[in-house]
Amino acid sequence: MRVLLSLTLLALCLASPVHAADKPVGAHAADIAPIEKVVEQFKAAIIARDGNTLANLFLQNHDSWLSVADEAKWEKVKALNPQAPKVFPSSWKKFSKFIQDAKVPVEERFYNVRIDTNGAVASVWFDFDFLVDDKVTNRGSESWQMVRSEDGWKISSMLFSIGD
């Protein structure tokens, strides 16, 4: 009887869907709104071509920024330049300047935003379309690592894929 009960419980556990929490519960749920505010400020600063506001969303003394070509894009790039790197670094400083100096409309649209935090550090993951002059120039997935600094939530590093 115990074996049957144990097997039944095991089968129920295995058959139940497992979902990651959409938002942290408890003490850290309150951190979601300030992180979402950074996400909204980031999007608004790009549209406004406000490089200064954009720059202030980043941890000032740290700069980890990598872009990675997805497989389809990588094949196209390699066909044009076999020596081109698949992963290349940049910086929030260069991005802020690019946004500030843009002569045409620029926008980044975010989809499926997911935030995870313990109150001191956070991870933000989303899918995106990046538009220049109302045309999608890149789409992929983006990940931010964030820290809660003395001045509030700041982006400490960014990774994103480059795709069509």
Side-chain angles (χ1 to χ4, degrees):
M1 181 69 163
R2 284 185 180 171
V3 171
L4 181 57
L5 181 57
S6 296
L7 289 174
T8 302
L9 287 173
L10 177 62
L12 286 173
C13 289
L14 294 175
S16 299
V18 177
H19 300 284
D22 292 331
K23 294 184 178 180
V25 293
H28 304 298
D31 290 308
I32 297 298
I35 294 168
E36 288 174 332
K37 184 178 178 185
V38 172
V39 171
E40 293 306 314
Q41 290 171 322
F42 186 90
K43 293 190 299 188
I46 291 174
I47 291 170
R49 292 182 251 166
D50 184 351
N52 292 328
T53 296
L54 193 61
N56 286 326
L57 299 176
F58 288 85
L59 194 61
Q60 297 299 297
N61 296 323
H62 184 71
D63 199 3
S64 179
W65 180 295
L66 294 173
S67 53
V68 182
D70 69 16
E71 291 308 312
K73 186 64 141 184
W74 178 234
E75 290 304 318
K76 291 177 185 176
V77 169
K78 281 192 68 148
L80 296 172
N81 179 3
Q83 304 303 318
K86 180 176 173 77
V87 178
F88 39 102
S90 190
S91 71
W92 61 262
K93 293 172 187 169
K94 289 179 184 176
F95 183 68
S96 295
K97 183 167 176 28
F98 164 75
I99 294 301
Q100 187 74 40
D101 295 345
K103 302 295 184 212
V104 295
V106 183
E107 181 179 5
E108 187 170 4
R109 296 182 185 156
F110 293 36
Y111 309 96
N112 307 316
V113 177
R114 298 171 298 280
I115 298 170
D116 193 18
T117 183
N118 70 357
V121 297
S123 176
V124 180
W125 178 280
F126 52 90
D127 301 314
F128 73 91
D129 293 331
F130 194 84
L131 292 84
V132 175
D133 204 16
D134 298 320
K135 295 175 190 72
V136 174
T137 59
N138 185 31
R139 62 173 34 109
S141 296
E142 190 166 318
S143 172
W144 299 352
Q145 297 302 303
M146 298 184 72
V147 296
R148 186 179 203 158
S149 73
E150 300 86 351
D151 300 322
W153 286 100
K154 300 291 182 180
I155 303 166
S156 63
S157 65
M158 183 180 289
L159 302 170
F160 64 94
S161 60
I162 299 173
D164 292 324

